[in-house]
Amino acid sequence: MNTVFTPDPHAMPAPSNFRLLTEAERHASLQASLAEWQEDQDVWVYGYGSLIWRPEFDYIEKRIALLHGYHRALCLWSRVNRGTPDRPGLVFGLDNGGSCRGMAFRIPACEVPHTMEALWRREMPSGAYLPKWLGCRTDDGPVTALAFTMNRNTDAYVRDLPTDRLLQIVRNAHGSYGPCVEYVLETAQALQRSNIHDKRLQALVRQLREAQPAH
């Protein structure tokens, strides 16, 4: 009887498969996302992870925003910012299904070209995210915000990792922006400061802290 090989859906991606976008590819992605933007229009950007606690751009307003159709999950292998190609970390992506409460930032029209160029360099080193304009609910009315959603058709996508393995990866990975565990804890703290409740993330943080060795 022939044996059918089924790839491990939880396997780390092969280092040799990792590729950064070229300058031309990244520029084309940015231009496509801003194709319908008018120069006198402010732009909203939706943050659900590190953008909440380190946006690195100027904004004139921010609002807690509820996004339907996506949820916050550690579903992205990070091979630059919080890991390496040989030892990837995990960072948050907006995965399909459910809802997510995050933060919407309003960027003034005059700052949009410069801000978006810098944002694309930060968020789009590879093709792991799909930038989308999505409707969000806020206490001051609906807004349409740019959100970086997870591209499931990439080897950077992972889901349903066993908890023990997820904890091990987060504890041990380190990238150009620092330790993966720092990223997860900073995100959880930023959500708490903003009165945004994420039960799954809070449970993960408790497990991470329990797993830490005594000093």
Side-chain angles (χ1 to χ4, degrees):
M1 187 173 80
N2 292 332
T3 300
V4 177
F5 173 72
T6 303
D8 180 359
H10 301 148
M12 288 184 177
S16 59
N17 291 340
F18 180 58
R19 187 182 75 85
L20 296 172
L21 294 181
T22 65
E23 289 284 338
E25 288 171 329
R26 189 167 57 241
H27 180 73
S29 169
L30 173 57
Q31 292 303 111
S33 291
L34 293 181
E36 297 184 10
W37 172 67
Q38 302 297 317
E39 292 184 0
D40 61 345
Q41 292 179 338
D42 296 344
V43 164
W44 290 91
V45 172
Y46 182 80
Y48 54 89
S50 63
L51 285 178
I52 294 177
W53 50 271
R54 197 184 70 234
E56 296 183 329
F57 54 74
D58 294 328
Y59 55 89
I60 54 178
E61 184 182 358
K62 69 176 181 178
R63 303 179 188 176
I64 293 176
L66 178 63
L67 175 64
H68 285 289
Y70 296 88
H71 66 280
R72 179 174 28 245
L74 285 171
C75 61
L76 170 58
W77 290 115
S78 177
R79 292 171 279 186
V80 178
N81 294 346
R82 297 292 175 171
T84 66
D86 291 314
R87 181 177 284 186
L90 290 165
V91 293
F92 291 107
L94 281 177
D95 201 5
N96 292 350
S99 62
C100 179
R101 196 174 297 276
M103 194 73 69
F105 301 90
R106 183 157 68 100
I107 300 169
C110 62
E111 295 291 333
V112 168
H114 168 76
T115 297
M116 288 299 174
E117 175 66 30
L119 190 59
W120 244 250
R121 290 185 178 279
R122 168 176 166 170
E123 300 294 326
M124 295 289 290
S126 68
Y129 285 142
L130 296 174
K132 294 182 180 180
W133 295 97
L134 300 173
C136 304
R137 291 171 50 190
T138 81
D139 287 345
D140 295 315
V143 301
T144 299
L146 177 72
F148 293 95
T149 69
M150 188 65 217
N151 181 1
R152 287 187 165 193
N153 296 316
T154 170
D155 68 351
Y157 177 61
V158 62
R159 63 177 175 180
D160 301 328
L161 278 174
T163 300
D164 288 349
R165 188 168 180 215
L166 186 149
L167 291 170
Q168 180 186 35
I169 293 166
V170 170
R171 289 290 317 283
N172 291 292
H174 192 289
S176 61
Y177 281 9
C180 185
V181 67
E182 176 188 76
Y183 163 86
V184 174
L185 295 177
E186 288 274 13
T187 300
Q189 291 165 7
L191 293 176
Q192 287 184 322
R193 288 194 300 268
S194 300
N195 201 30
I196 297 173
H197 302 288
D198 186 321
K199 292 181 179 179
R200 280 179 293 189
L201 179 53
Q202 290 170 359
L204 175 63
V205 166
R206 286 194 296 270
Q207 291 172 299
L208 282 170
R209 288 174 173 159
E210 290 169 1
Q212 286 181 347
H215 293 287

